[in-house]
Amino acid sequence: MTEIIIIRHGETEWNKTGRFQGHSDVPLSEEGRAQAEALGRNLVLDHADAIYASDLTRAIETATPLAKRFGLTVMPDPLLRELNFGAWEGRNFQDVNTESPDAMKRFYSDPERVDIPNSEPFPDFQKRVAGRVREIVLEQRGKRIIIVSHGASIRILLADILFMPIRSIWHVSQLNTAVNKIRFEDDGFAVVTLMNDTSHLRTGEAR
């Protein structure tokens, strides 16, 4: 059995102001850094064998306290990045909605068919993220692996594992530093054992 613990990065200023981040390299906010420290300090885990992260700063900054705690080196991986939002990167959600309400509606209701100029198609995005996670499972068979990634990346992975249509991903919440756990059997069968847990952020609690 291989356990994947996949965690969303901490808060950024763009999260607070409602902007599409995607591949833009946005660092953690002050609150995000505090969340990362709380995650590293409070997550109840006796060991981890390796820690991977998206190569974007906000993911690496979130992974660093956990890596220090377990004496590991963060392995950055561009295949674990967020969706590339193309022309929407850096733009405010409300501004895009005002300019292109039909596209914004389709983004949430039928993302496989949304037309965002220069963006990454959602099916390709799923193949990239889910494919890389399954490669890590094969490379690290029998171990416990931490991965720090992004909100949509985790949702698209969960959709792959749970055989959910891609259009369902926005029905899954992923808060900043949310912890998710997935158990992979040796034959590749996967079971989600924890989803969107942030108890490490509450004083005196951890899971």
Side-chain angles (χ1 to χ4, degrees):
M1 187 270 288
T2 305
E3 185 175 41
I4 295 293
I5 301 170
I6 188 162
I7 303 169
R8 188 187 177 196
H9 63 79
E11 182 197 78
T12 70
E13 291 296 331
W14 285 22
N15 288 145
K16 291 170 65 176
T17 56
R19 295 169 69 182
F20 288 99
Q21 295 186 110
H23 285 200
S24 300
D25 201 9
V26 184
L28 295 180
S29 64
E30 183 177 349
E31 175 64 20
R33 290 190 292 273
Q35 291 171 342
E37 291 296 334
L39 174 71
R41 182 174 60 250
N42 296 333
L43 184 67
V44 173
L45 207 61
D46 59 2
H47 81 282
D49 296 298
I51 183 163
Y52 294 76
S54 156
D55 65 339
L56 297 175
T57 299
R58 58 192 184 272
I60 293 174
E61 287 182 329
T62 303
T64 297
L66 280 170
K68 288 180 179 178
R69 173 178 160 186
F70 294 116
L72 299 170
T73 299
V74 178
M75 293 184 278
D77 192 326
L79 294 178
L80 299 172
R81 283 187 179 192
E82 181 62 290
L83 176 75
N84 183 345
F85 288 102
W88 288 6
E89 295 237 347
R91 300 198 62 198
N92 184 275
F93 300 160
Q94 292 182 347
D95 291 343
V96 173
N97 189 49
T98 299
E99 180 182 289
S100 307
D102 291 341
M104 194 70 163
K105 183 177 180 180
R106 179 164 286 182
F107 174 74
Y108 286 109
S109 65
D110 193 7
E112 287 181 270
R113 293 195 289 177
V114 69
D115 183 19
I116 306 171
N118 304 315
S119 68
E120 181 178 19
F122 274 79
D124 293 352
F125 175 45
Q126 186 172 58
K127 289 176 184 176
R128 168 169 65 82
V129 176
R132 181 57 186 137
V133 170
R134 290 183 182 277
E135 286 178 355
I136 290 170
V137 169
L138 291 175
E139 293 165 4
Q140 302 281 359
R141 180 170 292 184
K143 298 179 180 179
R144 174 182 285 157
I145 309 303
I146 295 172
I147 296 174
V148 179
S149 189
H150 305 266
S153 302
I154 295 170
R155 291 178 174 99
I156 207 80
L157 170 66
L158 292 171
D160 178 76
I161 289 169
L162 298 172
F163 296 96
M164 291 165 49
I166 289 175
R167 67 178 180 273
S168 298
I169 64 171
W170 305 122
H171 295 284
V172 177
S173 178
Q174 284 295 301
L175 301 173
N176 288 117
T177 68
V179 176
N180 308 268
K181 295 183 179 182
I182 307 165
R183 185 181 73 240
F184 285 86
E185 305 296 343
D186 288 344
D187 63 359
F189 185 81
V191 177
V192 177
T193 60
L194 183 69
M195 190 183 297
N196 196 38
D197 182 76
T198 57
S199 61
H200 53 274
L201 298 180
R202 298 192 289 273
T203 303
E205 287 188 53
R207 178 175 299 174

